[in-house]
């Protein structure tokens, strides 16, 4: 089996995916029409042309604009379902999806509307596509602590649908310590925690996410390489990093894929995983991310499979569910 086929067919597990970031320009236009919303673009092609980013903030500005077309429960269902079909194409067998409630509640969309649409699609994903999934709610870190507490309150009646909380949006200027109290409350309520850290921000954000937010995974975390002690700590503790290669090059965290440190971190024994982040904006879903890394870094089949093995270990499912995922991976590797 050649490497491209191996990568395509490899069972994959995604742990860093913002559902709002799967809004393809075509769907943005469909939903704008359905909900009679004016877009500042004349065509899906024009939207694509606008996806030239210089940093995280330049992306976020257009990302929040795009999310304005999401109004009804059905919109959130359609968005999630379209992503799950991409998962099926890419042999993603399990996915843990982020959503940003504040992006929607700030526009007057009810929290329950958002979660109901996403959850219904994920139930259909399990039934019709055999894809297991979990939902993680993210706080927007550029907003204040009070707003995060409000949204946490809204999430409490939906504990059965939400496994954890995370922290995303503009990292620079909004360090993890700003949300120490709200994360503490979230943990008391039984949520697991993750946080974006060390994407554009300094290594201190990784240390503080571990120490003050008690996270079970670091989202991105690639800047850990700036600090040898931290790399050793992450390797020893097997703290998972959900790395997003195409996102990192698109947002200039690394100039080129060949400069990316993901393979080096993997070989130094860190629990590194590959993820797509906001695939509609960054040029590819899971298979594309694997291919992009493999194109610039020589990887064995064992190493490619290790990305999935790490993601299974890092996932928020029960040991029994992990066993099922490992059987799928091992079954594929044995015949490849
Ligand atoms: Zn992200």
């Amino acid at each position: 089996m050649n490497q491209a086929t191996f990568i395509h067919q490899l069972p994959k597990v995604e742990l860093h995916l913002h559902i709002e970031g799967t809004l393809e320009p075509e769907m943005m236009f469909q939903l704008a029409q359905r909900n009679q919303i004016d877009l500042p673009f004349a065509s899906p092609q024009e939207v694509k042309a606008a996806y030239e980013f210089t940093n995280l903030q330049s992306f976020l500005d257009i990302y929040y604009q795009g999310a304005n077309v999401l109004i009804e429960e059905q919109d959130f269902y359609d968005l999630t379902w379209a992503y799950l079909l991409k998962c099926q194409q890419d042999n993603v067998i399990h996915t843990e999806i982020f959503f940003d409630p504040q992006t929607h509640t700030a526009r007057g969309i009810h929290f329950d509307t958002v979660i109901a649409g996403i959850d219904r699609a994920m139930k259909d994903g399990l039934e019709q596509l055999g894809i297991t999934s979990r939902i993680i709610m993210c706080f927007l870190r550029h907003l204040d602590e009070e707003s995060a507490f409000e949204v946490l309150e809204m999430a409490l009646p939906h504990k059965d649908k939400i496994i954890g909380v995370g922290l995303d949006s503009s990292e620079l200027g909004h360090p993890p310590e700003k949300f120490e109290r709200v994360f503490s409350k979230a943990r008391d309520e039984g949520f697991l925690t993750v946080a974006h850290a060390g994407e554009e921000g300094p290594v201190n954000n990784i240390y503080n996410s571990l120490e003050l937010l008690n996270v079970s995974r670091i989202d991105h975390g690639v800047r850990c390489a700036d600090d040898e002690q931290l790399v050793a700590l992450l390797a020893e503790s097997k703290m998972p990093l959900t790395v997003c290669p195409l996102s990192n090059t698109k947002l200039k965290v690394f100039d080129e894929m060949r400069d990316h440190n993901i393979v080096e971190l993997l070989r130094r024994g860190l629990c590194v995983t590959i993820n797509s982040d906001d695939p509609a904006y960054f040029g590819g879903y899971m298979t594309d991310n694997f291919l992009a890394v493999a194109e610039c870094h020589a990887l064995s089949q064992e190493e490619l499979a290790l990305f999935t093995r790490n993601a299974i270990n890092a996932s928020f499912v029960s040991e029994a569910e992990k066993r099922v995922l490992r059987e799928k991976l091992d079954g594929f590797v044995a015949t490849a």
Side-chain angles (χ1 to χ4, degrees), residues 16 171 195-203 205-206 218-228 230-231 234 240-249 252-254 257 259-266 268 270 272-275:
H16 184 157
E171 187 184 1
H196 284 51
E199 176 187 12
E200 285 187 338
V203 289
N205 283 357
I206 302 178
I218 294 284
D219 296 314
H220 293 294
V222 290
R223 292 282 305 272
C224 70
D226 295 349
D227 182 332
E228 275 303 309
L230 180 57
V231 171
L234 293 173
L241 303 187
T242 64
V243 180
C244 308
L246 285 174
S247 162
N248 289 157
T249 49
K252 316 292 182 202
V253 174
F254 297 95
M257 194 59 78
D259 304 326
H260 204 295
N261 62 10
I262 184 167
V263 174
E264 186 196 330
L265 294 176
L266 182 81
R268 293 184 68 177
L270 277 71
V272 177
T273 65
I274 291 184
N275 307 272

Side-chain angles (χ1 to χ4, degrees), residues 51-299:
Y51 289 178
E52 281 303 322
F53 312 116
T54 49
N55 57 22
L56 180 60
Q57 196 57 51
S58 65
F59 152 67
L60 289 170
D61 293 342
I62 198 165
Y63 175 77
Y64 292 127
Q65 204 166 49
N68 285 336
V69 301
L70 299 161
I71 307 282
E72 308 289 343
E73 183 195 318
Q74 190 62 39
D75 303 338
F76 291 95
Y77 177 93
D78 290 347
L79 177 72
T80 309
W81 183 250
Y83 164 66
L84 290 168
L85 291 177
K86 298 278 191 185
C87 286
Q88 184 190 34
Q89 268 176 24
D90 281 4
N91 291 300
V92 173
I93 54 175
H94 175 73
T95 179
E96 300 187 357
I97 296 175
F98 293 131
F99 80 113
D100 289 338
Q102 288 150 300
T103 301
H104 313 298
T105 55
R107 301 180 289 117
I109 312 296
H110 208 286
F111 187 100
D112 300 356
T113 303
V114 181
I115 190 82
I118 298 171
D119 184 62
R120 186 159 58 87
M122 287 167 54
K123 289 200 167 89
D124 284 351
L126 178 61
E127 252 173 53
Q128 297 174 34
L129 310 173
I131 298 170
T132 55
S133 55
R134 293 292 186 275
I135 302 179
I136 298 169
M137 169 180 98
C138 281
F139 302 115
L140 297 178
R141 68 202 306 160
H142 66 274
L143 301 179
D144 60 21
E145 184 194 38
E146 192 189 336
S147 173
F149 269 117
E150 280 168 16
V151 84
L152 179 59
E153 205 60 42
M154 293 177 204
L156 296 182
H158 300 286
K159 273 190 193 174
D160 59 324
K161 306 180 200 77
I162 301 172
I163 187 96
V165 301
L167 191 60
D168 65 4
S169 185
S170 325
E171 187 184 1
L172 293 172
H174 303 284
E177 46 271 35
K178 184 175 161 187
F179 297 94
E180 187 177 354
R181 293 192 306 176
V182 75
F183 268 63
S184 168
K185 169 92 166 37
R187 288 195 311 278
D188 288 346
E189 293 289 350
F191 293 107
L192 295 167
T193 61
V194 297
H196 284 51
E199 176 187 12
E200 285 187 338
V203 289
N204 252 352
N205 283 357
I206 302 178
Y207 279 117
N208 286 338
S209 296
L210 295 170
E211 283 161 24
L212 306 179
L213 307 185
N214 267 301
V215 295
S216 304
R217 302 196 291 247
I218 294 284
D219 296 314
H220 293 294
V222 290
R223 292 282 305 272
C224 70
D226 295 349
D227 182 332
E228 275 303 309
Q229 251 183 332
L230 180 57
V231 171
L233 176 80
L234 293 173
E236 197 190 293
S237 60
K238 292 281 171 207
M239 174 56 59
L241 303 187
T242 64
V243 180
C244 308
L246 285 174
S247 162
N248 289 157
T249 49
K250 194 83 179 171
L251 298 183
K252 316 292 182 202
V253 174
F254 297 95
D255 288 337
E256 308 271 351
M257 194 59 78
R258 64 170 171 270
D259 304 326
H260 204 295
N261 62 10
I262 184 167
V263 174
E264 186 196 330
L265 294 176
L266 182 81
R267 289 177 182 159
R268 293 184 68 177
L270 277 71
C271 181
V272 177
T273 65
I274 291 184
N275 307 272
S276 72
D277 206 3
D278 300 286
Y281 294 84
F282 299 149
Y285 289 77
M286 284 292 272
T287 296
D288 294 322
N289 272 276
F290 271 82
L291 287 171
V293 172
E295 206 173 287
C296 298
H297 303 267
L299 282 160

